[in-house]
Amino acid sequence: MLFAFFLTLLLAIILFFTQPKENEANRWMVTFCLTAAMGALSAAIDIDIIPELKKAGIVFPIHFLVELRIYCQFLCQVITPYAILMYSIVYSEIVKVKTKRILAYVLGIPMVIMIFFTDFYPDIEINFQVLLIWTAPYYLIASYLMFKAWHREVNTYRKKGKFRVFVILVPLWLGVFVLNNVMEAVHPNQQLYRIVPLFFFIAYILLGGFLFISGVFGIKVKVEQQVLDKSMQIMSGGTSILNHTIKNEVSKIKFFFNIAQNAIEKKDLDEAQKSINSVFSAIEGIDNMVDRIRAKTEEIVLKESNVEMVSLLKECVHGIKDIFNRKGIKITTEFKDNAIFYGDEMLLKEVVNNILNNAMEAINVPKGMIHIRMFKMKNGGVSIEISDNGKGIPKEEINRIMEPYFSTKQNIKNHGLGLSFCYKVIRAHESEIMVKSEVDKGTTVIIHFPRIRINQNLK
């Protein structure tokens, strides 16, 4: 039992320190691991530690250990099913952000009620019949949600990952549920909980195997995603991102001032006024970003509201259309879904503007083409694809393009922060961003927004 305690505690520590802070599902998994560790510690105290102390004639810590065992056992019994269900709800992405917060409070009520159905002195006696009434649906619903999350996933890579998580977790917690809850409710004092470490041992073997094959729970051994997440730590402050934003906007300002200067020389005041208005729009964009960039970019603070994605994309297109026209680049759109997205409108605009700016700079053919496509995915989420017919990205560079300070552009003024910033913003929105590219054929940037971020009621 002590071995199970240390191993489960170690897993909780690994998950806590290796995963991004914004990964809410990971926080619930850490909670589950900690409560499982409490259960293992409670059993170890009862089976191993106290008997050994009595044999050695050491009596003074036994009273404290009994107290510790009582509370560890209670917390394990009531928090574990709650943490499992909340993990499944967050992981499956079936509910919106606000609903998750409400459920976190509502689903915690039975834990408080169990205090009144438990005798803590002289030894703990939990009413397992009452416990079974609410833990049974918690475990079963959690298992169903994990199956559904795996079954409905359309992304091949993520589907494999969700299958691994399903195989590790669901048999583990159903085994614990049967031995630790059902059997105690039907036949008390059978001590079948002693078999529980066997389920954890099998789960750890599967976990270790998956880790070395291709990763699970977001933990990977020498895999690009882990390298990418760690590389984000070198973004030391908001100054770098701000510099990148200013660089983009200054390019626009120079472009429109040149047009205004030529228009004034030709005495075309309407054209000059139009260009000057565009300059003010670019300056306002810089001003807004200055207000939003924090002291550190390690934490992106979202100002969330309902955002109409089609309007956002059209606004971004309108802002750069003049530049694109003068460069001979045609931009087309295809909107098959008018989604209302719950997120940070300004940061999402910055993401789209960065992608469009990158596409423009990548195009080196006479007839440049950029196509923006938005459609609903089978899993209820929404996908946005921005494609260009530019020079493309070599295979040896495609896995590094989202690293901070890495750039495929030869210009010294390109700091390689655009896509890393986009990655950070999209991850903060519980979404994912991918890039597909072929040399001399073009690049497609794909953003997948999950169902929980789409406001179905306002569509």
Side-chain angles (χ1 to χ4, degrees), residues 166-275:
F166 177 83
V167 168
I168 291 174
L169 290 181
V170 174
L172 168 63
W173 68 48
L174 286 181
V176 172
F177 166 63
V178 171
L179 295 175
N180 206 30
N181 292 77
V182 176
M183 296 308 297
E184 283 293 330
V186 177
H187 299 290
N189 301 319
Q190 292 294 313
Q191 294 191 344
L192 289 175
Y193 64 85
R194 293 171 181 261
I195 307 175
V196 168
L198 177 62
F199 285 88
F200 277 93
F201 181 68
I202 295 171
Y204 291 136
I205 291 175
L206 290 172
L207 174 63
F210 287 139
L211 281 177
F212 282 96
I213 293 171
S214 53
V216 69
F217 297 125
I219 308 173
K220 302 184 179 184
V221 180
K222 295 182 181 178
V223 176
E224 290 87 353
Q225 185 71 33
Q226 186 184 30
V227 174
L228 178 57
D229 285 337
K230 284 187 177 181
S231 69
M232 285 297 171
Q233 296 173 6
I234 69 173
M235 298 180 72
S236 58
T239 307
S240 299
I241 292 299
L242 184 58
N243 285 341
H244 183 270
T245 303
I246 291 174
K247 179 189 76 71
N248 287 341
E249 298 304 317
V250 166
S251 297
K252 293 180 185 178
I253 291 170
K254 287 180 180 178
F255 178 83
F256 286 118
F257 265 134
N258 285 331
I259 295 174
Q261 186 177 20
N262 293 332
I264 290 171
E265 290 174 359
K266 296 176 183 178
K267 296 184 179 180
D268 187 349
L269 297 181
D270 289 338
E271 180 71 14
Q273 182 64 47
K274 183 179 177 182
S275 298

Side-chain angles (χ1 to χ4, degrees), residues 283-445:
I283 292 172
E284 186 179 356
I286 294 175
D287 189 47
N288 288 335
M289 281 304 293
V290 169
D291 290 338
R292 294 298 311 280
I293 294 294
R294 304 296 177 184
K296 292 184 178 180
T297 55
E298 286 294 329
E299 241 181 278
I300 286 183
V301 181
L302 301 180
K303 290 184 178 179
E304 296 172 305
S305 61
N306 289 317
V307 181
E308 190 176 337
M309 291 304 296
V310 170
S311 297
L312 183 147
L313 292 170
K314 285 182 177 179
E315 190 176 334
C316 292
V317 170
H318 179 74
I320 45 84
K321 202 162 190 177
D322 286 342
I323 299 178
F324 277 42
N325 288 338
R326 293 177 186 274
K327 289 180 176 286
I329 298 172
K330 184 179 180 181
I331 184 164
T332 57
T333 57
E334 180 186 357
F335 303 132
K336 295 185 177 180
D337 190 82
N338 189 17
I340 305 297
F341 182 79
Y342 187 70
D344 190 308
E345 183 174 5
M346 191 189 137
L347 289 179
L348 290 172
K349 281 182 184 176
E350 188 64 23
V351 167
V352 175
N353 285 332
N354 265 297
I355 296 170
L356 290 174
N357 188 69
N358 285 345
M360 178 184 68
E361 294 182 359
I363 292 174
N364 56 358
V365 293
K367 293 183 179 180
M369 293 285 296
I370 294 177
H371 184 64
I372 303 175
R373 179 172 173 247
M374 185 171 78
F375 60 93
K376 189 173 183 179
M377 297 186 293
K378 290 182 180 179
N379 62 6
V382 169
S383 180
I384 295 176
E385 298 181 356
I386 302 176
S387 304
D388 65 65
N389 64 340
K391 59 186 177 182
I393 304 169
K395 287 183 179 179
E396 60 271 16
E397 296 179 354
I398 195 72
N399 290 329
R400 297 192 60 199
I401 57 174
M402 291 188 194
E403 292 181 18
Y405 308 112
F406 177 82
S407 176
T408 60
K409 304 167 190 174
Q410 301 303 316
N411 190 339
I412 193 171
K413 292 184 178 181
N414 286 301
H415 306 303
L417 290 168
L419 279 177
S420 64
F421 173 74
C422 294
Y423 174 86
K424 195 82 172 173
V425 171
I426 295 302
R427 283 290 297 271
H429 282 88
E430 304 166 291
S431 306
E432 61 177 355
I433 181 170
M434 298 166 285
V435 178
K436 295 181 180 179
S437 189
E438 241 182 291
V439 174
D440 296 329
K441 289 188 177 181
T443 301
T444 299
V445 179

Side-chain angles (χ1 to χ4, degrees), residues 50-261:
I50 290 180
E52 290 299 321
L53 288 175
K54 287 181 177 178
K55 284 182 182 178
I58 303 172
V59 180
F60 66 90
I62 291 179
H63 177 72
F64 166 76
L65 290 172
V66 170
E67 292 279 330
L68 181 62
R69 178 182 64 81
I70 288 172
Y71 292 109
C72 281
Q73 184 178 342
F74 177 77
L75 292 174
C76 173
Q77 295 289 355
V78 299
I79 297 179
T80 298
Y82 169 71
I84 285 171
L85 182 55
M86 284 306 304
Y87 170 79
S88 303
I89 289 170
V90 174
Y91 182 82
S92 61
E93 301 179 342
I94 63 165
V95 297
K96 302 178 183 66
V97 177
K98 289 183 179 179
T99 308
K100 281 190 295 187
R101 293 170 185 164
I102 296 170
L103 286 173
Y105 290 108
V106 173
L107 295 175
I109 293 173
M111 295 192 299
V112 179
I113 294 175
M114 282 307 300
I115 296 174
F116 303 99
F117 288 90
T118 303
D119 291 329
F120 293 93
Y121 298 102
D123 202 352
I124 186 169
E125 287 188 20
I126 299 174
N127 190 322
F128 280 94
Q129 287 79 14
V130 175
L131 185 68
L132 188 63
I133 292 173
W134 63 275
T135 57
Y138 277 32
Y139 279 107
L140 296 176
I141 292 171
S143 302
Y144 169 74
L145 291 178
M146 295 300 292
F147 172 79
K148 189 175 181 180
W150 159 54
H151 186 68
R152 74 176 186 183
E153 181 58 59
V154 293
N155 182 293
T156 304
Y157 175 77
R158 292 187 68 184
K159 193 179 185 74
K160 289 180 180 178
K162 289 185 177 181
F163 172 73
R164 298 183 201 112
V165 173
F166 177 83
V167 168
I168 291 174
L169 290 181
V170 174
L172 168 63
W173 68 48
L174 286 181
V176 172
F177 166 63
V178 171
L179 295 175
N180 206 30
N181 292 77
V182 176
M183 296 308 297
E184 283 293 330
V186 177
H187 299 290
N189 301 319
Q190 292 294 313
Q191 294 191 344
L192 289 175
Y193 64 85
R194 293 171 181 261
I195 307 175
V196 168
L198 177 62
F199 285 88
F200 277 93
F201 181 68
I202 295 171
Y204 291 136
I205 291 175
L206 290 172
L207 174 63
F210 287 139
L211 281 177
F212 282 96
I213 293 171
S214 53
V216 69
F217 297 125
I219 308 173
K220 302 184 179 184
V221 180
K222 295 182 181 178
V223 176
E224 290 87 353
Q225 185 71 33
Q226 186 184 30
V227 174
L228 178 57
D229 285 337
K230 284 187 177 181
S231 69
M232 285 297 171
Q233 296 173 6
I234 69 173
M235 298 180 72
S236 58
T239 307
S240 299
I241 292 299
L242 184 58
N243 285 341
H244 183 270
T245 303
I246 291 174
K247 179 189 76 71
N248 287 341
E249 298 304 317
V250 166
S251 297
K252 293 180 185 178
I253 291 170
K254 287 180 180 178
F255 178 83
F256 286 118
F257 265 134
N258 285 331
I259 295 174
Q261 186 177 20

